[in-house]
Amino acid sequence: MQSPSILCCSSNSLSLSFHFPISPPSALLVSAAEELVEATSSASTLIETGYIFGVHGFHGEVRVKTSTDFPDLRFSKPGTRWLKQQVSGTETLQEIELVEGRGHPGQSWIVRFNNIDTSEQAQKLVGSTILVTDEDRPILEEGEFYTQDLIGMKLILKESGEPVGTVVNVFNSGANDLLRVKLNSSRSTTEQIGKSETGSGDSGPLIWVPFVEAIVPTVDLEKREMLITPPKGLLELNIRSDDRTKKERRELEWKERKKLQRRLIAAKKKLVEMEQQHVFHGLRYGEKDQRSLLADQIVTLNSKLLQHAMQNIAIPSTRPNLLDILNDVPRSNTLRVSNSTSSTGTGKVSDSYLKVQKEGCLLTCKGKVALVLVLDDIEIEKTSEENENAYLLVKALLDNHRSSAKIEDRSIVPLILVSSAGAVSSLQNLFLEHDYLGFDPEKVWFLEEEKLPLVSSLLDVQGKHKILMKSPWEFLRRPIGSGGVITLLSSHESLLDQLSETGVEYIEISKINKSREDEYSLVGLVESCKSNMGIRLFKDMSSEEDFEVVFSMSFLRKLVKQTNKLQFRAVLSCSSYVELVEKDWVDVVPTSPNCYEFCSSIYWCLDATPVNKVCVLDATD
């Protein structure tokens, strides 16, 4: 029996999955990308390593998108490979010899196969999946194992020895990993958890189990067993609690698919109106998961916001400097405090500061203030491979944040965390594993930051700026900045409804910065001045993307309906992308700026309120 190892490679070499060293690393979190192990009887011992998506040049070379941790081994080392193709609706398997390969900008490879000498011959291979034998997997170090080896293993509660279920799949995205577990039939409902019957079949619902040392301390490859110590409530997650028949569930799934199809049709129609039809090309290529990835991006694209942003390309920004705007704020609405002592300079704390601090604390402790915290994703991602460090970082940031209140009061405070797509699932798991760090699980939300596609800086033949594609199935996107928090809340108005129903009167939005302790009660100043919004200025404020703003709920509800007035800056940048040229996906690597990315500041909200309805907490001294 062995402890899980920290570097477990996926058997199909899709990505470096997970491993736990002999000294446990703390939790690796949630995963996102499904492991693509071939399941057909004809290819039961073959593993997918890449996908041919285009032709390169005129001498038979092809372009390959990899799905492996070992591209050098898979695509530069000559030897036998297999190609899986769809021919007239029938799946075929063909043995082929790889002659040579080389890496190429844009995360793809250029590969040449034996007896493929012309572009016409190479074109016939486009759409094929490249496979290798399962026995051809690289040899791992002692204590390491492949994710495929985990599939089919039994999960057993370490304390009681009771069987839980069977691993049916493994999902991963770098350091973040999840086991997809089919529970024993006796664990089908919440009420039956803990009453498992020995010998029950694994025919219950599917749940997620994070593959982390704290939850899966022991993996026994010989016995094909994992001993688990799940936190309270984990096994109940995602369990269906109703008694619907299989037919009723299928009907519900069919309705959901139809609903998604209608959304996709509506989204495609909007993109056609914008003359961006080229983004649909990827739907004709690739595997099901790749096409689904593109469909999901098309459905979730905020096309109205993109249209509005593109209209700003030719319009220079006319918004004055932030400090110039705030100079017009009435003196009665401005409170200046020392950055170091919160005092008048004589050692005595000012009465005005004590007043707003008291009012802010009172509002927070009554649950009248909701926090929207924009996490510094660079900081989080740097520690994603050592989740104890990630936990300590997030905990320290929340502890330093003044409005998080004392630990015993946190359950009263609604909390909304905004982070990158890759960090959302990790944060969810981190909070789950650490009892939500004192917050009420029913009052914590995790949102993905607002992003928009990059568009070409040059107009196409239709006179349009084209959306750029990172791959045939992915938009090339960037976060739009602090202004995106408002558009994000605009698309989650039901969340604002929930907050209003619980009595929330103020929303504090800030970017967490571990180097700055938040000592001043901005919300108390907003309450004292009866303002629509309050802004905190601080000494180390290097840009408008380092911010702390408070909105009254009534003003914010009006604001989210005015996102069509959001101001954007179109910033020139240089980015590689792919495009379809005569049935060939071509990597474009520019040498000069070639695209626009859209940026917006949260301070555009100042245009939506009279200046006498703004207050400022100035801690720049």
Side-chain angles (χ1 to χ4, degrees):
M1 184 175 292
Q2 67 183 52
S3 296
S5 139
I6 234 189
L7 170 63
C8 170
C9 302
S10 58
S11 57
N12 64 337
S13 305
L14 174 63
S15 64
L16 278 180
S17 176
F18 34 74
H19 85 214
F20 298 80
I22 297 177
S23 62
S26 355
L28 297 177
L29 307 176
V30 193
S31 65
E34 183 172 357
E35 189 174 58
L36 302 173
V37 179
E38 297 303 305
T40 63
S41 59
S42 63
S44 58
T45 61
L46 296 179
I47 306 299
E48 176 182 330
T49 61
Y51 171 79
I52 300 174
F53 70 93
V55 175
H56 179 77
F58 304 99
H59 302 293
E61 293 180 320
V62 295
R63 296 177 182 272
V64 176
K65 288 294 181 183
T66 69
S67 56
T68 174
D69 291 321
F70 313 104
D72 290 329
L73 173 66
R74 299 308 192 191
F75 302 117
S76 64
K77 180 181 178 182
T80 301
R81 306 292 190 272
W82 281 262
L83 296 182
K84 184 181 73 172
Q85 292 178 291
Q86 291 285 340
V87 180
S88 301
T90 302
E91 185 177 282
T92 65
L93 201 61
Q94 168 190 355
E95 185 175 334
I96 196 168
E97 288 295 315
L98 187 145
V99 177
E100 63 181 357
R102 62 187 183 277
H104 191 68
Q107 298 181 332
S108 63
W109 277 68
I110 305 300
V111 172
R112 185 165 67 87
F113 294 108
N114 190 35
N115 296 326
I116 305 296
D117 303 313
T118 67
S119 59
E120 290 77 13
Q121 290 174 316
Q123 185 62 47
K124 295 178 181 179
L125 304 183
V126 174
S128 302
T129 301
I130 303 176
L131 310 167
V132 297
T133 62
D134 184 47
E135 291 77 12
D136 194 33
R137 298 185 301 182
I139 299 175
L140 300 179
E141 299 293 332
E142 182 179 355
E144 298 177 348
F145 48 87
Y146 286 97
T147 58
Q148 186 184 4
D149 296 336
L150 303 180
I151 297 175
M153 294 186 74
K154 300 292 183 182
L155 266 66
I156 298 173
L157 291 178
K158 185 174 182 179
E159 291 186 1
S160 64
E162 296 176 359
V164 173
T166 302
V167 178
V168 296
N169 213 330
V170 180
F171 289 71
N172 60 76
S173 62
N176 301 323
D177 309 288
L178 277 180
L179 304 176
R180 190 61 160 158
V181 177
K182 182 175 280 296
L183 292 181
N184 290 346
S185 57
S186 59
R187 292 181 173 269
S188 296
T189 64
T190 304
E191 292 77 10
Q192 291 171 315
I193 294 296
K195 299 180 181 179
S196 176
E197 299 176 5
T198 303
S200 296
D202 298 328
S203 57
L206 293 167
I207 65 165
W208 299 106
V209 175
F211 192 70
V212 297
E213 176 70 17
I215 298 176
V216 189
T218 306
V219 175
D220 192 325
L221 291 174
E222 293 184 1
K223 291 185 178 181
R224 305 288 296 156
E225 293 178 352
M226 297 183 189
L227 301 184
I228 65 171
T229 55
K232 183 178 179 181
L234 176 65
L235 298 183
E236 290 87 347
L237 291 178
N238 303 317
I239 293 181
R240 189 176 55 251
S241 60
D242 58 52
D243 296 321
R244 289 173 295 186
T245 65
K246 187 175 292 186
K247 179 181 179 181
E248 290 172 331
R249 292 196 297 272
R250 286 176 178 170
E251 288 178 350
L252 181 61
E253 291 171 359
W254 180 83
K255 290 179 180 178
E256 289 297 322
R257 285 198 299 270
K258 296 297 289 184
K259 182 179 179 181
L260 177 60
Q261 288 174 1
R262 288 194 295 270
R263 290 181 62 203
L264 181 57
I265 290 171
K268 289 175 70 174
K269 180 180 178 181
K270 181 61 68 175
L271 287 171
V272 168
E273 292 174 357
M274 296 172 63
E275 299 185 36
Q276 302 287 338
Q277 298 95 317
H278 66 283
V279 303
F280 307 140
H281 293 325
L283 295 175
R284 305 199 305 269
Y285 298 87
E287 300 293 330
K288 180 181 178 181
D289 288 345
Q290 292 165 327
R291 296 194 303 272
S292 296
L293 172 63
L294 178 57
D296 181 63
Q297 291 187 68
I298 292 173
V299 168
T300 57
L301 174 65
N302 192 332
S303 56
K304 288 185 178 179
L305 189 64
L306 177 60
Q307 282 181 296
H308 177 63
M310 292 173 70
Q311 291 170 359
N312 284 255
I313 290 177
I315 303 175
S317 176
T318 58
R319 190 171 66 83
N321 178 275
L322 174 62
L323 295 180
D324 291 338
I325 299 174
L326 298 183
N327 282 336
D328 294 330
V329 173
R331 182 169 297 182
S332 59
N333 286 13
T334 301
L335 176 62
R336 288 183 170 83
V337 292
S338 168
N339 194 42
S340 57
T341 62
S342 305
S343 71
T344 60
T346 60
K348 180 180 178 182
V349 178
S350 66
D351 292 338
S352 56
Y353 173 75
L354 285 176
K355 178 183 177 181
V356 299
Q357 185 182 52
K358 181 178 180 180
E359 288 183 353
C361 289
L362 187 61
L363 287 167
T364 301
C365 292
K366 288 184 176 181
K368 302 292 184 181
V369 183
L371 305 182
V372 180
L373 304 182
V374 180
L375 294 183
D376 190 335
D377 296 317
I378 295 176
E379 295 287 351
I380 297 297
E381 290 172 358
K382 282 180 180 177
T383 58
S384 60
E385 293 184 0
E386 299 180 13
N387 288 288
E388 183 62 26
N389 289 343
Y391 157 68
L392 293 174
L393 173 60
V394 173
K395 183 178 183 299
L397 294 175
L398 290 171
D399 287 346
N400 283 343
H401 194 276
R402 185 257 327 138
S403 292
S404 291
K406 296 179 180 179
I407 186 67
E408 58 266 27
D409 298 326
R410 281 188 177 177
S411 61
I412 301 171
V413 181
L415 175 65
I416 302 168
L417 295 171
V418 179
S419 66
S420 67
V424 168
S425 57
S426 298
L427 284 169
Q428 288 175 317
N429 242 21
L430 187 149
F431 271 71
L432 174 66
E433 293 164 16
H434 296 280
D435 296 323
Y436 278 78
L437 289 88
F439 291 91
D440 182 351
E442 298 296 323
K443 296 181 180 180
V444 179
W445 294 268
F446 304 88
L447 302 183
E448 179 183 338
E449 66 187 349
E450 187 81 84
K451 291 184 178 181
L452 283 179
L454 273 61
V455 301
S456 59
S457 56
L458 297 178
L459 299 177
D460 63 10
V461 293
Q462 285 83 30
K464 299 292 182 180
H465 297 278
K466 289 178 59 176
I467 293 174
L468 299 186
M469 305 298 293
K470 179 180 179 182
S471 78
W473 312 282
E474 297 174 274
F475 296 150
L476 190 58
R477 300 186 297 171
R478 295 285 187 276
I480 68 173
S482 57
V485 179
I486 305 301
T487 66
L488 192 60
L489 294 176
S490 175
S491 59
H492 291 81
E493 280 201 77
S494 60
L495 192 158
L496 295 181
D497 291 337
Q498 294 180 56
L499 294 176
S500 294
E501 291 171 1
T502 61
V504 170
E505 297 177 2
Y506 295 97
I507 306 287
E508 179 179 315
I509 304 176
S510 61
K511 184 171 183 178
I512 288 187
N513 187 326
K514 68 176 183 178
S515 65
R516 185 185 77 244
E517 293 187 2
D518 294 291
E519 301 173 352
Y520 313 118
S521 194
L522 178 59
V523 69
L525 181 61
V526 177
E527 165 71 10
S528 177
C529 297
K530 304 302 177 185
S531 299
N532 287 335
M533 65 180 295
I535 296 172
R536 179 179 184 266
L537 301 178
F538 35 89
K539 187 175 182 180
D540 58 346
M541 187 173 179
S542 57
S543 73
E544 293 187 3
E545 287 304 301
D546 202 359
F547 57 91
E548 181 178 327
V549 179
V550 170
F551 297 103
S552 69
M553 177 62 83
S554 58
F555 177 62
L556 184 61
R557 297 303 290 264
K558 295 177 182 178
L559 203 58
V560 296
K561 299 182 184 299
Q562 301 179 30
T563 53
N564 61 323
K565 297 180 180 179
L566 181 65
Q567 296 180 7
F568 280 100
R569 289 184 299 110
V571 181
L572 267 174
S573 64
C574 186
S575 296
S576 301
Y577 63 98
V578 302
E579 65 177 348
L580 189 64
V581 180
E582 297 181 353
K583 299 183 180 181
D584 183 12
W585 286 101
V586 177
D587 291 305
V588 180
V589 184
T591 57
S592 60
N594 66 317
C595 60
Y596 289 115
E597 56 181 282
F598 300 107
C599 303
S600 179
S601 167
I602 197 169
Y603 296 114
W604 73 271
C605 302
L606 288 167
D607 294 339
T609 180
V611 71
N612 63 348
K613 285 292 186 178
V614 178
C615 62
V616 178
L617 184 66
D618 188 348
T620 57
D621 293 338

